[in-house]
Structures are given as C-alpha cells and as structure tokens.
Amino acid sequence: MNTQGTTLSEAGPEQASSKELPWHLASLILVGLLAAAAWWLNKTIPSVDSRLKVLEYPVYAVALGLAANLLTSLLGIRARLALFFRTEFFLKTGLVLLGATVNIAALVAFGVRGILQALILITGVFFFTWWLAGLFKIDSRLRAVISASVSICGVSAAISAAGAVLAKKEQLAYVTGLVILFALPLMFLQPAAANWLGLDQEVAGAWIGGNIDTTAAVTGAGAIAGEEALKVASIVKMSQNALIGVVAFLLALYWVVVVEKTPGQRPSAWQIWERFPKFVLGFVLASVTVSLGLSGGWVDKSVIKSAIQPLRDWFFMAAFLSIGFGLSFSGLKEAGWRPILIYGVATIFNTGLALLAASLIFG
Amino acid sequence: MEQQTAPAKGSRKISEDWLAVIIGLVLVGLSVAGVIQKVP
C-alpha cells in the first residue's frame, strides 16, 4: 500500500511537463483499462453464479483500484500514474448525469425532506462530535475538521472546514484517511443492514445518504441497495453537500470571532458561494431539462436507459477506481488512536440518528 | 514542519467542479439530442 500522505482529490500532480507526458498518457490508459475490467467483471461474474449479483460495480472498481495502488506502489510508480485518478471529478460528472435520470417532481419531494433530515443530522452529529472531541482534548482545528467531516460529507466538508479554520495539511490528510477507513466498510455493510432490517428503498436510501460520509461511498452503497435507493441517497447526500458552504462560513466566523478573537474582522459571504458544491447546480439543471423534455415529448425516454444511465455508471466506476488507487494509510499512523475512537463513536451515533430521522421523515 | 491549508486550493476545486458540471451537461445534451444513442 502506498505511504504517501495525499488526499483523495490530490493524488495527481498539478501540472504536466513534456517529460511527464508519457506517464500522464499511461495514467489515462490505466484508468480506461481498469474501468473496462470492472465493467467486464460486473457483467460476467453474476452470469457465473446468480448469488454473486449482490457484488455491484463499486465493489469491483474499488478492488481493482486497490490492486493497482498496491502494484504501482511496489513498483514505485504510483505517484507518476496518479494524474487521471480524479475521484471528485468523476464523481461529480456522474452525479450531473444522475440528475438527468431523476424526475424534477421527485427531486423537489425528496429534496425538501432531504434538507430537513440534513439539518437534523448536521446539527446533532456536529455538536455530538465537537463535544466528544472536547472530552478527549483534541486540538481545536482537528476537532473542527473531524466534526464537519462526520456530520456533513467527508472529504469535501473536511476540505471546506480545514480552509475555514486554517487547519494544517497533515490534519486534513489524516481526517481524509479516517473518512475512507470508515466509509469503505459502510458502503458494503449498510445496504446489507438495510436489507436485513427490511427497510423500503426510500428509507434505505435516506439512511445511507444521511449516514455515510463520502458522496462516493453513498453512491456505491445506494447502487448496491437498488436504483430507487440510489436516487434517494444521492438527493439526501446532496442536500447535506449544499449546506457545506453555510457550515464552513459559520465555522470561519466562529474561528475569527471566538477562537482567534479578532475584533471587527468577518469572513466574507463570498465563502458560501466559493465552497458551495457546483455540481448540485448541474444535477438540478440536468433534472429540470430532461423532466421538461420528457413531459414536452422532445426527449425520447429510452435514451435514459440506453445512454445516460450507462454513462453515469462509467463515471462512477472511474470514481471508485480512483478511491482505491488514492487510498493512503500514512496519515492514520501519525495521529494516534484518539481521533480514530472519536470518529468511530461519532459514526455509530450518526448511524443511529440517521436511521431514526430517515424512518420518521421518509417512512 | 507545520503547513496550513492554502487558500489557492479552493480555486482549483472550483475549476474541477465547473468542469464536471460542463462535461456532465454536454453528455446529457448529446444523449438527449440523439448523438449518443447507446453506451455499453
């Protein structure tokens, strides 16, 4: 496994030089080949044994990404091949495509309930984690980044909160590692638990979207749970994502006014827009356009199944490959056991509260 | 050595965000227009 302290979205070098060009081309080809391999496994394995249908494409993609991570780390070429393993880019493009498959009426119906659930979970989980980390006397910046990432949406929230409180890069890398450490098992365990509990697709999706921290793992778990669960989970998660800007703004305000006590200084309202996840706008625009096209008769319904859904799945597959390829344990080794314990207890609290909220709001 | 998160990070994230939106919407547009009809 690699030992570089990189975050999910930072695995690749920022700029291409002519010397590095062959490696960047190789990176692009590797992403394409691994995605094709994951697609082939997803198509072939269930036909060998129908019980293996439970293994959806996120499982193959993460496993292949991890295998490539291990192999290229052993060969010492992982960092050079990392440019096109862009988790967040693939994920966000896939989510815009997902928007085209979600009817605007469903988006409004689930979105309103999603915002309600997000407000309950973000407030409850943030302050629980903040209180718990205070008991363990965790550094205040790390405390803020952990609380934001558990309560909102993992890596993106950690990045936003780290920017708001000027956390150290090492702290951000560490929390990113924790996010993946907890999200990956949940991606497989939560759909199984939802099935075991007999939850319907809407409640299962809302539970998954409200609990799992990273949007990528939410999408993976939703895809495993079912098509309807995937849509609800994504909308619920996006409702939480949309609040990142607000939380980052409030955190920055708290830091300036309370922690650093600089009288008269306020973070600008621009921070809300800067940290607002723009793909949410793409998701809504795609949903509105295709919904209007379907009701107006100028969009052929069959194109959603034959083109948009498969395109969406290719982008998600590339995102899951990138998660496996970018996984790093170096940050986890450095910070000791206390943040891991806090993250674990906060995740258990989040799981219980999200199940209660999803059952009450979506049941 | 302690490093703080650089504000410049936000600008790269924003451009990646917008790129994802543009590519996603272009692919939706091409599918709706019938240019992309079938994807494996």
Coordinates of all heavy atoms in Angstrom, one line a residue, chain A residues 9-10 14 39 86 88-89 92-93 162 166-170 274 278-279 285 299 303 306-308 310 314-315, chain B residues 1-5 9 12-14 16-21 23-25 27-28 31-32 36-40:
Chain A
S9 N -8.6 13.8 -3.5 CA -8.6 14.5 -4.8 C -7.3 15.1 -5.2 O -7.1 15.7 -6.2 CB -9.6 15.7 -4.7 OG -9.2 16.5 -3.6
E10 N -6.2 14.7 -4.4 CA -5.0 15.4 -4.7 C -3.9 14.4 -5.1 O -2.7 14.6 -5.1 CB -4.4 16.0 -3.4 CG -5.2 17.2 -2.9 CD -4.6 17.7 -1.6 OE1 -4.3 16.9 -0.7 OE2 -4.4 18.9 -1.5
E14 N -0.1 18.4 -10.3 CA -1.0 19.5 -10.7 C -0.7 19.9 -12.2 O -1.6 20.2 -12.9 CB -0.8 20.7 -9.9 CG -1.3 20.5 -8.5 CD -2.8 20.1 -8.5 OE1 -3.6 20.7 -9.2 OE2 -3.1 19.2 -7.8
W39 N -16.1 -3.1 -15.6 CA -17.4 -3.3 -16.3 C -17.5 -4.8 -16.7 O -18.6 -5.4 -16.6 CB -17.3 -2.4 -17.6 CG -18.5 -2.6 -18.5 CD1 -19.7 -2.0 -18.4 CD2 -18.5 -3.4 -19.7 NE1 -20.5 -2.4 -19.4 CE2 -19.8 -3.3 -20.2 CE3 -17.6 -4.2 -20.3 CZ2 -20.2 -4.0 -21.4 CZ3 -18.0 -4.9 -21.5 CH2 -19.3 -4.8 -22.0
R86 N -9.0 10.9 -10.7 CA -9.6 12.1 -10.1 C -11.0 11.7 -9.5 O -12.0 11.9 -10.1 CB -9.8 13.2 -11.1 CG -8.6 13.5 -12.0 CD -7.4 13.9 -11.2 NE -7.5 15.2 -10.5 CZ -6.5 15.9 -10.1 NH1 -5.3 15.4 -10.3 NH2 -6.7 17.0 -9.4
E88 N -13.0 13.1 -7.3 CA -14.1 14.1 -7.2 C -14.6 14.5 -8.6 O -15.8 14.7 -8.7 CB -13.6 15.3 -6.4 CG -13.3 14.9 -5.0 CD -13.5 16.0 -4.0 OE1 -14.0 17.1 -4.4 OE2 -13.1 15.9 -2.8
F89 N -13.7 14.6 -9.5 CA -14.2 15.0 -10.9 C -15.1 13.9 -11.5 O -16.2 14.2 -12.0 CB -13.0 15.2 -11.8 CG -13.4 15.3 -13.2 CD1 -14.0 16.4 -13.7 CD2 -13.1 14.2 -14.1 CE1 -14.4 16.5 -15.0 CE2 -13.5 14.3 -15.4 CZ -14.2 15.4 -15.9
K92 N -18.5 13.8 -9.5 CA -19.4 15.0 -9.8 C -20.0 14.9 -11.2 O -21.1 15.3 -11.4 CB -18.6 16.3 -9.5 CG -18.4 16.5 -8.0 CD -17.4 17.6 -7.8 CE -17.2 17.7 -6.2 NZ -16.1 18.6 -5.9
T93 N -19.2 14.5 -12.2 CA -19.7 14.4 -13.5 C -20.8 13.3 -13.5 O -21.9 13.5 -14.1 CB -18.6 14.0 -14.5 OG1 -17.5 14.9 -14.3 CG2 -19.1 14.1 -15.9
A162 N -11.3 22.7 6.9 CA -9.9 23.0 7.1 C -9.6 24.4 6.6 O -8.8 25.1 7.2 CB -9.1 21.9 6.3
L166 N -8.3 27.2 9.0 CA -6.9 27.2 8.7 C -6.1 26.0 9.3 O -5.1 26.2 10.0 CB -6.2 28.5 9.0 CG -6.7 29.7 8.3 CD1 -6.0 31.0 8.8 CD2 -6.6 29.6 6.8
A167 N -6.7 24.8 9.2 CA -6.1 23.6 9.7 C -4.8 23.3 9.0 O -4.6 23.7 7.9 CB -7.1 22.4 9.6
K168 N -4.0 22.4 9.6 CA -2.7 22.0 9.0 C -3.0 21.0 7.9 O -4.0 20.2 8.0 CB -1.8 21.4 10.0 CG -1.4 22.3 11.1 CD -0.7 21.5 12.3 CE -0.8 22.2 13.6 NZ -0.7 21.3 14.7
K169 N -2.2 20.9 6.9 CA -2.4 20.0 5.8 C -2.3 18.6 6.3 O -3.1 17.7 5.9 CB -1.3 20.2 4.7 CG -1.6 21.3 3.8 CD -0.7 21.3 2.6 CE -1.2 22.3 1.6 NZ -0.3 22.4 0.4
E170 N -1.5 18.3 7.3 CA -1.4 17.0 7.9 C -2.7 16.5 8.5 O -3.1 15.4 8.5 CB -0.2 16.9 9.0 CG 1.2 17.1 8.4 CD 1.5 18.6 8.2 OE1 0.7 19.4 8.4 OE2 2.7 18.8 7.9
E274 N -18.1 30.2 -2.7 CA -16.9 29.6 -3.0 C -16.9 28.1 -2.7 O -16.4 27.2 -3.4 CB -15.7 30.3 -2.3 CG -14.4 29.9 -2.9 CD -13.2 30.5 -2.1 OE1 -13.4 30.9 -0.9 OE2 -12.1 30.5 -2.6
K278 N -20.6 23.0 -6.8 CA -21.3 23.5 -8.0 C -22.0 22.3 -8.8 O -22.9 22.6 -9.6 CB -20.2 24.1 -9.0 CG -19.4 25.2 -8.3 CD -20.2 26.4 -7.9 CE -19.3 27.4 -7.2 NZ -18.5 27.0 -6.1
F279 N -21.6 21.1 -8.5 CA -22.2 20.0 -9.3 C -23.7 19.9 -8.9 O -24.5 19.4 -9.7 CB -21.5 18.7 -9.0 CG -21.8 18.1 -7.6 CD1 -22.8 17.3 -7.4 CD2 -20.9 18.4 -6.6 CE1 -23.1 16.8 -6.1 CE2 -21.1 17.9 -5.3 CZ -22.2 17.1 -5.1
L285 N -30.0 21.3 -13.0 CA -30.3 21.7 -14.3 C -30.6 20.5 -15.3 O -31.5 20.5 -16.1 CB -29.0 22.5 -14.8 CG -29.2 23.3 -16.1 CD1 -30.3 24.3 -16.0 CD2 -27.9 24.0 -16.5
V299 N -37.9 14.7 -25.6 CA -36.8 13.8 -25.2 C -37.4 12.3 -25.2 O -38.5 12.1 -24.7 CB -36.4 14.1 -23.8 CG1 -35.5 13.0 -23.2 CG2 -35.6 15.4 -23.7
V303 N -33.6 6.9 -24.2 CA -32.3 7.3 -24.2 C -31.7 7.4 -22.8 O -30.5 7.2 -22.6 CB -32.1 8.7 -24.9 CG1 -32.4 9.9 -23.9 CG2 -30.8 8.9 -25.5
S306 N -30.6 3.7 -22.3 CA -29.6 3.2 -23.2 C -28.3 4.1 -23.2 O -27.2 3.6 -23.6 CB -30.1 3.2 -24.7 OG -30.4 4.5 -25.1
A307 N -28.4 5.3 -22.8 CA -27.2 6.2 -22.9 C -26.8 6.8 -21.6 O -25.7 6.7 -21.1 CB -27.4 7.3 -24.0
I308 N -27.8 7.6 -20.9 CA -27.4 8.4 -19.8 C -27.0 7.5 -18.6 O -26.0 7.8 -17.9 CB -28.5 9.4 -19.4 CG1 -28.7 10.4 -20.6 CG2 -28.2 10.2 -18.2 CD1 -29.8 11.4 -20.5
P310 N -25.9 4.3 -18.5 CA -24.6 3.7 -18.6 C -23.4 4.7 -18.5 O -22.4 4.4 -17.9 CB -24.6 3.0 -20.0 CG -26.1 2.9 -20.4 CD -26.8 4.0 -19.6
W314 N -20.3 4.6 -15.9 CA -18.9 4.6 -16.2 C -18.1 5.6 -15.4 O -17.0 5.4 -14.9 CB -18.7 4.9 -17.7 CG -18.8 3.7 -18.6 CD1 -19.9 3.3 -19.3 CD2 -17.9 2.6 -18.8 NE1 -19.7 2.1 -20.0 CE2 -18.5 1.7 -19.7 CE3 -16.6 2.4 -18.4 CZ2 -17.8 0.6 -20.1 CZ3 -15.9 1.3 -18.8 CH2 -16.5 0.4 -19.7
F315 N -18.7 6.8 -15.2 CA -18.1 7.8 -14.4 C -18.0 7.4 -13.0 O -16.9 7.6 -12.3 CB -18.8 9.2 -14.5 CG -18.4 9.9 -15.8 CD1 -19.1 9.9 -16.9 CD2 -17.2 10.7 -15.7 CE1 -18.7 10.6 -18.1 CE2 -16.8 11.4 -16.8 CZ -17.5 11.3 -18.0
Chain B
M1 N 7.3 20.0 10.0 CA 7.0 21.4 9.7 C 5.5 21.5 9.6 O 4.8 20.7 8.9 CB 7.7 21.7 8.3 CG 7.6 23.2 8.0 SD 8.6 23.6 6.6 CE 7.6 22.9 5.3
E2 N 5.0 22.6 10.2 CA 3.5 22.8 10.1 C 3.2 23.6 8.9 O 3.6 24.7 8.8 CB 3.1 23.4 11.4 CG 3.2 22.5 12.6 CD 2.5 23.1 13.8 OE1 2.1 24.3 13.7 OE2 2.5 22.4 14.8
Q3 N 2.3 23.1 8.1 CA 1.8 23.9 7.0 C 0.3 24.1 7.1 O -0.4 23.2 7.6 CB 2.0 23.1 5.7 CG 3.4 23.3 5.0 CD 3.4 22.6 3.8 OE1 3.3 21.3 3.7 NE2 3.6 23.3 2.7
Q4 N -0.2 25.2 6.8 CA -1.6 25.4 6.8 C -2.2 25.3 5.4 O -1.5 25.4 4.4 CB -1.9 26.8 7.4 CG -1.5 26.9 8.8 CD -2.0 28.2 9.5 OE1 -2.0 29.2 8.8 NE2 -2.4 28.1 10.7
T5 N -3.5 24.9 5.4 CA -4.1 24.7 4.1 C -4.2 26.0 3.3 O -4.6 27.0 3.8 CB -5.6 24.2 4.3 OG1 -6.2 24.9 5.3 CG2 -5.6 22.8 4.6
K9 N -6.1 26.3 -2.9 CA -6.7 25.0 -3.1 C -8.2 25.2 -3.6 O -8.6 24.5 -4.5 CB -6.7 24.3 -1.8 CG -7.5 23.0 -1.8 CD -6.7 21.9 -1.1 CE -7.3 20.6 -1.3 NZ -7.5 20.2 -2.6
R12 N -8.6 25.7 -7.4 CA -8.5 24.5 -8.2 C -9.8 23.7 -8.1 O -10.3 23.1 -9.1 CB -7.3 23.7 -7.9 CG -7.1 22.5 -8.8 CD -6.0 21.6 -8.4 NE -6.3 20.9 -7.1 CZ -7.1 19.9 -7.0 NH1 -7.6 19.4 -8.1 NH2 -7.3 19.3 -5.9
K13 N -10.3 23.6 -6.9 CA -11.5 22.8 -6.6 C -12.7 23.3 -7.4 O -13.5 22.6 -8.0 CB -11.9 22.8 -5.1 CG -11.4 21.6 -4.4 CD -12.0 21.5 -3.0 CE -13.4 21.2 -3.0 NZ -13.8 19.9 -3.6
I14 N -12.8 24.7 -7.4 CA -13.9 25.3 -8.2 C -13.8 25.0 -9.6 O -14.8 24.6 -10.3 CB -13.9 26.8 -7.9 CG1 -14.4 27.1 -6.5 CG2 -14.8 27.5 -9.0 CD1 -14.3 28.5 -6.1
E16 N -12.4 22.4 -11.1 CA -12.7 21.0 -11.3 C -14.3 20.8 -11.1 O -14.9 20.0 -11.9 CB -12.0 20.1 -10.3 CG -11.9 18.7 -10.7 CD -11.0 17.9 -9.8 OE1 -11.3 17.6 -8.6 OE2 -9.9 17.5 -10.2
D17 N -14.9 21.5 -10.2 CA -16.3 21.5 -10.0 C -17.0 21.9 -11.3 O -17.9 21.2 -11.8 CB -16.7 22.4 -8.9 CG -16.9 21.8 -7.6 OD1 -16.4 20.7 -7.4 OD2 -17.5 22.4 -6.7
W18 N -16.6 23.0 -11.8 CA -17.3 23.5 -13.0 C -17.0 22.6 -14.2 O -17.9 22.4 -15.1 CB -16.8 24.9 -13.4 CG -17.4 26.0 -12.5 CD1 -16.8 26.8 -11.6 CD2 -18.8 26.3 -12.4 NE1 -17.7 27.6 -11.0 CE2 -19.0 27.3 -11.4 CE3 -20.0 25.8 -13.0 CZ2 -20.2 27.9 -11.1 CZ3 -21.2 26.3 -12.7 CH2 -21.3 27.4 -11.7
L19 N -15.8 22.0 -14.3 CA -15.5 21.1 -15.4 C -16.4 19.9 -15.4 O -17.0 19.5 -16.4 CB -14.0 20.7 -15.3 CG -13.5 19.9 -16.5 CD1 -13.5 20.7 -17.8 CD2 -12.1 19.3 -16.2
A20 N -16.7 19.4 -14.2 CA -17.6 18.3 -14.0 C -19.0 18.6 -14.5 O -19.7 17.9 -15.2 CB -17.6 17.8 -12.6
V21 N -19.4 19.8 -14.1 CA -20.8 20.3 -14.5 C -20.9 20.4 -16.0 O -21.8 19.9 -16.6 CB -21.1 21.7 -13.8 CG1 -22.4 22.3 -14.4 CG2 -21.2 21.5 -12.3
I23 N -19.0 19.0 -18.5 CA -18.9 17.7 -19.2 C -20.2 16.9 -19.0 O -20.7 16.3 -19.9 CB -17.6 16.9 -18.7 CG1 -16.4 17.7 -19.2 CG2 -17.7 15.5 -19.2 CD1 -15.1 17.0 -18.9
G24 N -20.7 16.9 -17.7 CA -21.9 16.2 -17.4 C -23.1 16.7 -18.3 O -23.8 15.9 -18.9
L25 N -23.2 18.1 -18.3 CA -24.3 18.6 -19.1 C -24.2 18.4 -20.6 O -25.1 18.2 -21.3 CB -24.5 20.1 -18.8 CG -25.0 20.4 -17.3 CD1 -25.0 21.9 -17.1 CD2 -26.4 19.9 -17.1
L27 N -22.7 15.9 -22.0 CA -23.1 14.4 -22.3 C -24.6 14.2 -22.2 O -25.1 13.5 -23.0 CB -22.4 13.5 -21.2 CG -20.8 13.4 -21.4 CD1 -20.2 12.6 -20.3 CD2 -20.5 12.7 -22.8
V28 N -25.2 14.9 -21.3 CA -26.7 14.8 -21.2 C -27.3 15.4 -22.5 O -28.2 14.8 -23.1 CB -27.3 15.6 -20.0 CG1 -28.8 15.7 -20.0 CG2 -26.9 14.9 -18.7
S31 N -26.8 13.1 -25.4 CA -27.7 11.9 -25.3 C -29.1 12.3 -25.7 O -29.8 11.6 -26.5 CB -27.7 11.4 -23.9 OG -26.4 11.1 -23.5
V32 N -29.6 13.5 -25.2 CA -31.0 13.9 -25.4 C -31.1 14.3 -26.9 O -32.2 14.0 -27.5 CB -31.3 15.2 -24.5 CG1 -32.5 15.9 -25.0 CG2 -31.4 14.7 -23.1
I36 N -25.5 10.6 -28.9 CA -25.1 9.4 -28.2 C -26.4 8.6 -28.0 O -27.3 9.0 -27.2 CB -24.4 9.7 -26.8 CG1 -23.2 10.6 -27.0 CG2 -24.0 8.5 -26.1 CD1 -22.6 11.1 -25.7
Q37 N -26.4 7.4 -28.6 CA -27.7 6.7 -28.5 C -27.6 5.4 -27.6 O -28.5 5.0 -27.0 CB -28.2 6.2 -29.9 CG -28.6 7.4 -30.7 CD -29.2 7.1 -32.0 OE1 -29.0 6.0 -32.5 NE2 -29.9 8.0 -32.6
K38 N -26.4 4.8 -27.7 CA -26.2 3.6 -26.9 C -24.8 3.5 -26.3 O -23.8 3.7 -27.0 CB -26.5 2.4 -27.8 CG -26.6 1.1 -27.0 CD -27.3 0.0 -27.9 CE -27.3 -1.4 -27.2 NZ -27.9 -1.4 -25.8
V39 N -24.7 3.2 -25.0 CA -23.4 3.1 -24.4 C -23.4 1.7 -23.7 O -24.4 1.3 -23.1 CB -23.3 4.2 -23.3 CG1 -22.0 4.1 -22.5 CG2 -23.3 5.6 -23.9
P40 N -22.3 1.0 -23.9 CA -22.3 -0.4 -23.3 C -22.3 -0.3 -21.7 O -21.9 0.6 -21.1 CB -20.9 -0.9 -23.7 CG -20.1 0.2 -24.1 CD -21.1 1.3 -24.6

